[in-house]
């Protein structure tokens, strides 16, 4: 056992709280001479009378004092008639209450549980228990024993106990059998076990180093892992080399493993973009579909109204503006194209053009849906255009699929959207799988306008979609290049374009909306950032802390988001009497904190604040505020712009503090004031794209705090990591 772990043993005295969905439990353990101990952790189905051996660590709860957090557990069935009665009388087994428990113990004594599991028909000896009821009680108990053995297996192999519930939901009473036969299924994205941990488990259970199952699991892991690096495929030779490095195997066994995956269709090999490309099956299908559908849409011209020029004049008059030539061209192109791209940097009039396109579609009697990849981007799009906008996920809606046991989009080829046109903003953030889902939900004649800035960072997910669409030359496009006078007066806009051209912006400017504060030492830069958020901007410029967003290229280091979040929280939302808090990992969540959802979760339920409506799904990048922390029931309630979500302890890993976020996480959002920590970071994060994206997040005020040499380094570094994608090739040549 690791040195930092403790071991306690005892009998469950009482279950204080248990969440049936995730197994999170708070119980009182009678540890003998050690007295009563409060144990918390994933212990589904535990009941009074059980014996436990729990390893873990002592933690101090803000409201309930010292508790023991279970990391691994060995459960022992109750021994002795009293313990067996306590267990059965607790309601642990469906259909058995105190009276039935007493009769079972009186009849079978210490063998009552053995009879219940192995010979439930013998329970009919007890008056009032029919054969049907006896078999039902036995079946429920056997299911519980299956969960118990799964927990024992996980604990024995030092695996997180939280895996038990999702495994059981997916595989039922076959869960342990499935994990024993293939430990690598734990690497699935939903379960989230590190490949190295699953591999160690597999090897410890007797799987050989060159076992085909291990080889194939390594290959699939490399393909899935590289989706997070933006690749939709890997070249065959790179895939084989990387897998060999991962599992320490080389030679023909790797080739044989890949051929087996290709034969079963789990992977697909094609000649694409000048490479022998190996895809996961679903990624290959997504790329093929997106290319086919967009080429089909690009080839299908729409008949523009005969009085288009007069209609454009009328729209200009109604909006009180005169379009620049490129803007008028964009609106006119939307009249004759089923799909088009609209791109340009800050201050070039994308919003004005969008409003014109929307007015045109209204005049043509089209039902138009507005969407963006993130909640903040959708909210901003709706505010700019004066109509409601939704995230792409919410536009497509989610629903439970009983066949797969997972949530899927409600709108697809069989149930398309009713919209006649869809406008998507911040398309540079959209990955290939989300675009495939959107395209499949469009009716055959639906129009699609894709808007974005290709110089911003690409999507977090696989593909280089927007840049590939632009470079293919296949999709009709208008690129806005003219910077309008009013926008040109903004130092934020000027600086963004200077950075994009490879020029260091004027850091000595002392007025307007852009300032640079030189702080060569990262610790001093962090102190200054906290001062700006806490006092200087609220007092001197009337900008409250909740309208200020701190950005950093990196999570780590003294001026990274982890350290900045702790410091800013201490300054603007410190501990206070009556302000509940809850520790999770290295951070203490506190009522009033700004937080961010950091991964897509289609299963989570939300309820509208003050209303009756509800829905499912929270998505990566959604920002909210901790409204309430209920420590007794272990629930943290977060308000996401009027949608309330209750986070149980096992879900807190999906939340991060958001006083400071990485530039990648800020994509698609715009803030009244942005403070960028311009200090050193790993070379891969010190790039022009990251600096440009950070600058363009600011609406009214931008402050760079840090080292001018770091700023110059970012401007000079225009190196972009290559993303393996076949979309451009499929559009242009395939």
């Amino acid at each position: 056992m690791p040195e930092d772990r403790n071991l306690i043993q005892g009998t469950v005295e009482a279950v204080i709280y248990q969440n049936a969905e995730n197994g999170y439990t708070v119980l009182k353990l009678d540890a003998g001479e050690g007295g009563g101990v409060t144990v918390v952790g994933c212990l589904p189905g535990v009941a009074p009378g059980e014996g436990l051996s729990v390893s873990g660590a002592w933690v101090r709860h803000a409201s309930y004092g010292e508790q023991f957090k279970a990391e691994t557990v060995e459960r022992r069935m109750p021994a002795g008639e009293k313990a067996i009665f306590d267990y059965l009388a607790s309601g642990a087994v469906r259909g058995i209450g105190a009276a039935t428990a007493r009769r079972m113990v009186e009849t079978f004594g210490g063998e009552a549980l053995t009879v219940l599991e192995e010979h439930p028909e013998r329970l009919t000896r007890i008056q009032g228990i029919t054969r049907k009821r006896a078999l039902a009680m036995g079946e429920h108990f056997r299911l519980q024993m299956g969960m118990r053995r799964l927990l024992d297996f996980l604990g024995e192999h030092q695996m997180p106990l939280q895996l038990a519930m999702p495994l059981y939901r997916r595989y039922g009473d076959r869960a342990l059998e499935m994990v024993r036969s293939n430990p690598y299924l734990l690497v699935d994205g939903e379960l989230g076990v590190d490949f190295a941990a699953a591999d160690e488990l597999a090897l410890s259970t007797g799987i050989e180093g060159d076992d085909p199952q291990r080889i194939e699991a390594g290959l699939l892991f490399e393909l899935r892992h590289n989706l997070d690096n933006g690749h939709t495929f890997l070249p065959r030779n790179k895939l084989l080399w990387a897998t060999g490095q991962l599992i320490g195997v080389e030679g023909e066994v790797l080739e044989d493993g890949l051929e087996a995956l290709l034969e079963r269709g789990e992977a697909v090999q094609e000649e694409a973009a000048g490479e022998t490309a190996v895809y996961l099956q679903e990624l290959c299908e997504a790329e093929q579909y997106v290319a086919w559908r967009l080429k089909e849409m690009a080839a299908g011209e729409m008949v523009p109204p005969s009085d288009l020029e007069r209609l454009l004049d009328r729209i200009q008059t109604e909006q009180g503006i005169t379009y620049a030539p490129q803007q008028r061209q964009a609106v006119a192109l939307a009249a004759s194209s089923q799909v088009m791209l609209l791109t340009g940097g800050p201050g070039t009039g994308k919003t004005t053009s969008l409003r014109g396109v929307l007015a045109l579609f209204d005049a043509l009697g089209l039902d138009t849906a507005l969407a963006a990849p993130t909640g903040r981007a959708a909210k901003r799009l709706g505010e700019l255009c004066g109509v409601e906008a939704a995230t792409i996920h919410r536009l497509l809606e989610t629903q439970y699929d009983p066949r797969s046991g997972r949530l899927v989009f409600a709108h697809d080829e069989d149930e398309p959207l009713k919209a006649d046109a869809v406008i998507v903003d911040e398309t540079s953030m959209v990955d290939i799988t989300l675009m495939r889902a959107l395209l499949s939900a469009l009716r055959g004649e639906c129009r699609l306008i894709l808007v974005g800035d290709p110089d911003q960072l690409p999507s977090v997910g696989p593909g280089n979609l927007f840049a590939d669409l632009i470079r293919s030359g296949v999709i009709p496009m208008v690129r806005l290049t003219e910077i309008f006078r009013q926008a040109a007066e903004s130092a934020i806009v000027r600086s963004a374009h200077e950075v994009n051209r490879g020029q260091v912006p004027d850091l000595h400017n002392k007025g307007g909306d852009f300032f640079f504060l030189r702080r060569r030492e990262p610790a001093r830069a962090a102190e200054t950032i906290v001062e700006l958020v806490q006092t200087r901007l609220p007092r001197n410029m009337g900008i409250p802390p909740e309208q200020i967003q701190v950005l950093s290229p990196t999570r780590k280091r003294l001026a990274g988001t982890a350290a900045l979040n702790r410091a800013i929280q201490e300054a603007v939302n410190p501990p206070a009497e009556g302000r509940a808090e809850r520790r999770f990992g290295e951070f203490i969540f506190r009522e009033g904190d700004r937080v961010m959802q950091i991964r897509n979760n289609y299963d989570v339920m939300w309820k509208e604040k003050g209303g009756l409506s509800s829905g499912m799904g929270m998505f990566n990048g959604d920002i909210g505020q901790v409204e309430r922390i209920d420590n007794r029931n272990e629930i943290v309630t977060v308000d996401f712009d009027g949608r309330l979500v209750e986070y149980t302890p096992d879900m807190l890993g999906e939340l991060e503090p958001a006083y400071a976020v990485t530039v990648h996480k800020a994509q698609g959002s715009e803030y009244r004031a942005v403070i960028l920590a311009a200090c050193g970071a790993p070379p891969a994060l010190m790039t022009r794209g990251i600096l440009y994206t950070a600058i363009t997040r600011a609406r009214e005020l931008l402050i760079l705090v840090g080292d001018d040499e770091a700023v110059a380094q970012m401007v000079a570094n225009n190196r972009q990591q290559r993303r393996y994608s076949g979309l451009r090739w499929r559009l242009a040549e395939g």
Side-chain angles (χ1 to χ4, degrees):
M1 183 185 304
E3 292 182 5
D4 59 346
R5 282 198 186 174
N6 297 285
L7 176 69
I8 59 172
Q9 296 178 316
T11 303
V12 178
E13 184 179 331
V15 176
I16 300 167
Y17 169 80
Q18 190 163 74
N19 186 307
E21 288 297 314
N22 54 47
Y24 182 81
T25 302
V26 181
L27 60 83
K28 185 69 72 175
L29 190 72
D30 181 357
E33 294 183 3
V37 175
T38 300
V39 177
V40 300
C42 182
L43 295 160
V46 73
E50 287 191 57
L52 298 182
S53 295
V54 186
S55 68
W58 291 99
V59 295
R60 177 159 292 279
H61 193 285
S63 301
Y64 302 110
E66 200 168 47
Q67 299 178 336
F68 193 79
K69 185 176 182 180
E71 295 176 11
T72 64
V73 62
E74 179 183 340
R75 297 168 65 172
R76 300 183 301 279
M77 288 307 297
E81 293 185 6
K82 181 182 183 305
I84 291 173
F85 169 76
D86 288 342
Y87 174 77
L88 292 174
S90 71
V93 181
R94 189 181 303 145
I96 301 178
T100 302
R102 181 171 291 106
R103 292 198 295 270
M104 287 176 63
V105 172
E106 289 172 351
T107 304
F108 300 107
E111 298 298 311
L113 296 181
T114 302
V115 170
L116 181 61
E117 181 179 12
E118 299 177 6
H119 308 288
E121 67 280 357
R122 291 174 58 188
L123 296 175
T124 57
R125 289 171 50 187
I126 298 173
Q127 186 176 2
I129 297 182
T130 64
R131 179 178 176 82
K132 181 178 179 181
R133 181 184 173 196
L135 294 177
M137 290 190 298
E139 176 64 18
H140 186 257
F141 185 64
R142 278 194 297 276
L143 290 175
Q144 281 198 339
M145 294 302 292
M147 172 65 80
R148 177 187 303 277
R149 293 181 182 113
L150 175 61
L151 281 165
D152 288 345
F153 179 82
L154 294 173
E156 177 188 350
H157 294 282
Q158 308 296 310
M159 302 301 288
L161 300 180
Q162 292 90 334
L163 294 170
M165 291 302 283
L167 280 169
Y168 217 75
R169 279 196 296 269
R170 184 177 297 184
Y171 301 112
D173 56 3
R174 296 178 58 241
L176 178 56
E177 174 192 343
M178 295 293 292
V179 176
R180 281 186 185 278
S181 63
N182 181 14
Y184 296 102
L185 61 79
L186 296 173
V187 186
D188 177 278
E190 183 182 336
L191 299 171
V193 173
D194 182 73
F195 180 86
D199 194 39
E200 183 179 345
L201 171 60
L203 294 172
S204 72
T205 58
I207 291 179
E208 298 293 334
D210 61 352
D211 188 288
Q213 184 182 70
R214 183 171 186 252
I215 303 296
E216 293 167 23
L219 290 162
L220 289 173
F221 169 76
E222 282 295 340
L223 288 172
R224 293 188 180 117
H225 172 73
N226 277 282
L227 299 181
D228 293 333
N229 294 327
H231 305 304
T232 58
F233 72 80
L234 286 181
R236 181 183 174 108
N237 60 343
K238 288 185 183 261
L239 171 62
L240 294 171
W241 178 85
T243 305
Q245 294 293 304
L246 175 71
I247 60 177
V249 174
E250 58 185 23
E252 289 185 8
V253 289
L254 292 170
E255 298 274 359
D256 293 343
L258 179 54
E259 289 305 317
L261 292 176
L262 295 174
E263 188 172 327
R264 291 202 305 271
E266 293 184 57
V268 177
Q269 181 173 297
E270 290 188 352
E271 296 299 321
E275 302 280 0
T276 301
V278 181
Y279 292 83
L280 290 169
Q281 189 276 331
E282 60 269 26
L283 267 295
C284 184
E285 191 276 335
E287 202 174 84
Q288 291 172 338
Y289 183 90
V290 169
W292 166 76
R293 186 70 194 275
L294 287 178
K295 286 175 76 171
E296 183 183 64
M297 294 174 73
E301 290 189 9
M302 311 298 283
V303 179
S306 57
D307 59 344
L308 177 60
E309 292 302 321
R310 192 167 63 222
L311 179 56
L312 295 179
D313 291 339
R314 193 187 85 199
I315 292 172
Q316 284 187 135
T317 301
E318 291 172 350
Q319 295 186 342
I321 59 172
T322 300
Y323 294 136
Q326 290 177 337
Q327 293 175 322
R328 190 176 180 101
Q329 178 191 357
V331 181
L333 185 61
S336 59
S337 303
Q338 189 177 2
V339 61
M340 67 167 281
L341 310 178
L342 177 61
T343 181
T348 57
K350 289 198 300 293
T351 300
T352 299
S353 302
L354 260 186
R355 288 181 182 140
V357 171
L358 190 57
L360 171 70
F361 287 169
D362 285 345
L364 296 177
L366 303 180
D367 178 11
T368 305
L370 272 62
T374 67
R376 280 187 167 264
K379 184 177 180 181
R380 173 173 166 263
L381 176 63
E383 290 170 351
L384 292 173
C385 293
V387 295
E388 186 177 355
T391 63
I392 299 173
H393 289 89
R394 292 202 173 100
L395 179 69
L396 298 178
E397 300 180 52
T398 53
Q399 65 181 15
Y400 181 74
D401 179 13
R403 291 173 299 179
S404 65
R406 298 188 179 189
L407 285 164
V408 296
F409 289 122
H411 294 288
D412 55 17
E413 293 96 333
D414 298 324
E415 192 66 38
L417 294 164
K418 294 179 180 178
D420 301 308
V422 174
I423 297 175
V424 178
D425 197 13
E426 299 287 355
T427 308
S428 62
M429 296 180 63
V430 179
D431 64 32
I432 193 72
T433 55
L434 186 55
M435 179 55 68
R436 190 254 182 268
L438 176 63
L439 289 172
S440 70
L442 302 184
R443 293 184 294 112
E445 65 278 14
C446 185
R447 305 177 192 229
L448 179 64
I449 312 294
L450 300 175
V451 186
D453 183 347
D455 295 314
Q456 290 184 23
L457 296 173
S459 61
V460 175
N464 202 13
L465 180 96
F466 198 54
D468 282 352
L469 296 184
I470 291 172
R471 290 200 297 263
S472 74
V474 171
I475 314 298
M477 180 182 73
V478 172
R479 185 191 296 270
L480 304 174
T481 57
E482 180 184 352
I483 303 174
F484 292 94
R485 183 181 60 80
Q486 185 175 356
E489 293 173 357
S490 164
I492 296 174
V493 172
R494 291 199 307 273
S495 298
H497 286 279
E498 287 166 353
V499 167
N500 215 14
R501 293 193 297 267
Q503 302 170 0
V504 177
D506 181 7
L507 301 181
H508 304 292
N509 176 45
K510 297 298 182 183
D513 55 6
F514 173 44
F515 299 88
F516 172 72
L517 302 179
R518 178 183 291 151
R519 303 290 187 271
R520 290 279 173 85
E521 295 297 323
R524 183 71 184 101
E527 290 175 8
T528 300
I529 289 170
V530 173
E531 292 171 10
L532 288 166
V533 175
Q534 183 182 19
T535 57
R536 291 169 62 174
L537 293 188
R539 182 184 302 157
N540 301 332
M541 305 193 74
I543 303 176
E546 59 268 22
Q547 295 181 13
I548 302 167
Q549 184 60 61
V550 175
L551 304 180
S552 176
T554 182
R555 297 171 56 87
K556 300 178 180 179
R557 305 193 180 190
L558 293 175
T561 60
L564 287 170
N565 270 310
R566 287 191 292 269
I568 296 171
Q569 182 202 40
E570 189 66 25
V572 304
N573 193 32
E577 187 174 347
R579 185 181 294 161
E581 58 185 43
R582 179 172 182 80
R583 175 177 288 279
F584 183 82
E586 297 181 356
F587 192 78
I588 297 174
F589 291 104
R590 196 169 289 139
E591 289 176 346
D593 277 341
R594 186 193 305 171
V595 292
M596 174 184 284
Q597 173 80 17
I598 61 168
R599 64 176 64 98
N600 291 343
N601 184 339
Y602 302 101
D603 297 324
V604 69
M605 291 286 300
W606 55 262
K607 293 182 180 179
E608 189 178 66
K609 191 173 185 178
L612 300 176
S613 65
S614 62
M616 299 188 74
M618 297 303 300
F619 306 106
N620 187 6
D622 286 348
I623 288 184
Q625 185 176 47
V626 177
E627 182 172 272
R628 184 168 181 264
I629 296 178
D630 179 355
N631 279 311
R632 179 168 297 277
N633 292 310
E634 309 284 330
I635 291 174
V636 176
T637 302
V638 181
D639 180 358
F640 291 95
D641 289 327
R643 292 183 174 93
L644 298 180
V645 178
E646 293 184 346
Y647 287 81
T648 50
D650 63 304
M651 296 167 60
L652 287 179
E654 299 182 5
L655 280 183
E656 280 189 355
Y659 295 107
V661 301
T662 63
V663 178
H664 280 91
K665 288 289 187 183
Q667 281 179 271
S669 298
E670 186 180 72
Y671 312 95
R672 183 179 176 188
V674 166
I675 302 172
L676 174 65
C679 302
L685 299 175
M686 298 293 287
T687 67
R688 186 184 301 175
I690 285 180
L691 180 58
Y692 175 80
T693 300
I695 291 172
T696 54
R697 300 308 90 205
R699 185 171 69 248
E700 294 182 18
L701 178 67
L702 172 69
I703 302 177
L704 270 56
V705 181
D707 189 347
D708 49 355
E709 292 183 4
V711 176
Q713 179 186 345
M714 295 178 82
V715 172
N717 182 10
N718 197 31
R719 187 178 60 217
Q720 298 177 354
Q721 181 183 3
R722 179 180 179 183
R723 291 189 166 205
Y724 290 110
S725 163
L727 180 61
R728 178 187 175 189
W729 173 81
R730 293 181 194 278
L731 285 166
E733 302 175 29

